[in-house]
Amino acid sequence: MARWEPNARERLERAALALFAERGYDATTVNEIADRAGLTKSTFFRHYADKREVLFGGQDMLAQRFSDAIRASAPTATIAACLAAALDSAAPAFTPERHDLALQRRALIAATCELRERELLKRAGLSSAIADALRARGADDTTAHLASELGVLAFSTAFARWAEPENRQPYTEIAHTALRDLQARAAALGAEPDVRA
């Protein structure tokens, strides 16, 4: 009899993170993750292609959210406003209940070369989704690429700040602050250097 339970995806994610912390990423198998979650191996593969995707499965959904938010922005919206809308669209993934998972995920990725490489590929996918959506709104290639890199950097910065153990500030506030800060820093690149004796 199949073991169907609600919230299977989150249960698998929590089980995987716990096992990765206990045994290490390389020593943990899909079967062990499914068993720890109280689910079957086939249930695991209905949700994730492999054990790496437990950590990155949400990235495809995130890329779609970013793209949809940009495309849904008002025709008169600036590129900065489109990036802010994209960042806002990620807010449902950053609830207080998921804060502990973000901490575990961040530590695991930092400690595992294979996962750091996978994260870079997923970030490139986010950047591509943003750039494609901006080009669809009429942005030229260079502007779309620059803005997409700025958007991904703002998102990565916001995620890192939100995931800090002592943080209690909502993700959206952090994301908007990160985007404004990066925009200001980018604008300052052409300013005269402040040379002080």
Side-chain angles (χ1 to χ4, degrees), residues 62-124:
L62 195 57
Q64 188 62 54
R65 282 180 178 267
F66 283 1
S67 180
D68 290 347
I70 291 168
R71 292 173 195 272
S73 293
T76 56
T78 64
I79 288 179
C82 290
L83 292 178
L87 292 172
D88 284 348
S89 74
F94 297 98
T95 63
E97 300 78 31
R98 295 193 54 80
H99 194 259
D100 63 324
L101 296 177
L103 286 170
Q104 293 171 355
R105 179 185 181 277
R106 204 170 127 196
L108 178 63
I109 290 170
T112 311
C113 184
E114 176 186 350
L115 298 177
R116 288 193 307 269
E117 290 173 3
R118 184 68 161 241
E119 183 171 48
L120 291 174
L121 287 172
K122 291 293 187 171
R123 282 187 183 176

Side-chain angles (χ1 to χ4, degrees), residues 26-49:
D26 291 329
T28 301
T29 68
V30 167
N31 282 338
E32 291 168 333
I33 294 168
D35 285 345
R36 175 71 64 96
L39 300 166
T40 63
K41 183 178 176 181
S42 61
T43 300
F44 178 95
F45 286 116
R46 274 198 297 277
H47 293 280
Y48 299 107

